[in-house]
Amino acid sequence: MVRLSPVSKEQKQVLYNLYQLYQYDFSPYTGNDLGNSGAYELHLEHFWEDARWNPFLIYFEGKIVGFLVVLFENYDVDPDPVHVIYDFMVLRKFRRYGFGREAAIQAFNLYKANWKVTQMSANEPAIHFWREVIKEYTGDRFTEEFREDLNKYVQSFSTKDSASSS
């Protein structure tokens, strides 16, 4: 069984290392390049300085298989914030075993909230993954729109009014 574990400040180097792999995986979509040090330039301190950010490591049988970050999008201005899966990665070695699906469902079950999940339009594997997971999780009770201004697909749904399906 997959387990989500909040990332403590003491574990920030672990998350930093995983973000290097994440940036590499997504460089075909983002066009990001390595910095002069041979690493992607990352600034993650806000994860531990701002309560809106909630990073989690994804474990399976004691091994780290990925990470996800939940953002309380408008937490500081709205008493009913939208929660966003901000970043999500399962290491390539562990993909297609259901770990990502299980981690996403656990994240959705953590908070009774309105949710949004976005994908870059060029990232077809992510679009397919999230559509399938959200469709199954919500019983096909979600909306999807394409935001031209962001060049992203956005799925929206709520876990506030009904029991989760998994």
Side-chain angles (χ1 to χ4, degrees), residues 51-52 54 56 69-75 78-86 107-118 154-160:
R52 294 176 300 167
N54 300 276
F56 295 88
V69 177
V70 175
L71 168 63
F72 300 168
E73 187 175 59
N74 49 345
Y75 184 64
D78 191 329
D80 188 24
V82 172
H83 291 27
V84 177
I85 299 289
Y86 189 81
F108 298 149
N109 287 340
L110 284 175
Y111 308 102
K112 295 293 183 194
N114 298 312
W115 285 91
K116 286 186 183 176
V117 182
T118 65
V154 181
Q155 295 85 24
S156 302
F157 62 97
S158 179
T159 57
K160 293 173 69 171

Side-chain angles (χ1 to χ4, degrees), residues 97-109:
Y97 292 101
F99 300 146
R101 178 191 164 282
E102 209 175 317
I105 288 169
Q106 284 187 32
F108 298 149
N109 287 340

Side-chain angles (χ1 to χ4, degrees), residues 6-16 45 48 57:
V7 181
S8 68
K9 192 166 185 168
E10 294 73 34
Q11 293 173 303
K12 71 180 177 181
Q13 187 62 45
V14 174
L15 188 61
Y16 178 86
E45 288 301 317
W48 297 277
L57 295 176

Side-chain angles (χ1 to χ4, degrees), residues 128-141:
H128 176 76
F129 169 81
W130 285 110
R131 281 179 180 157
E132 291 299 312
V133 169
I134 294 168
K135 180 178 181 175
E136 178 185 334
Y137 181 78
T138 65
D140 206 15
R141 290 184 305 274

Side-chain angles (χ1 to χ4, degrees), residues 25-76:
D25 271 2
F26 283 89
S27 63
Y29 309 116
T30 64
N32 290 348
D33 292 316
L34 293 172
N36 291 333
S37 68
Y40 292 95
E41 294 184 22
L42 301 171
H43 305 284
L44 304 180
E45 288 301 317
H46 61 282
F47 287 164
W48 297 277
E49 296 169 352
D50 184 337
R52 294 176 300 167
W53 295 95
N54 300 276
F56 295 88
L57 295 176
I58 305 169
Y59 286 92
F60 178 74
E61 294 183 347
K63 294 180 181 140
I64 296 171
V65 300
F67 74 92
L68 64 87
V69 177
V70 175
L71 168 63
F72 300 168
E73 187 175 59
N74 49 345
Y75 184 64
D76 52 344

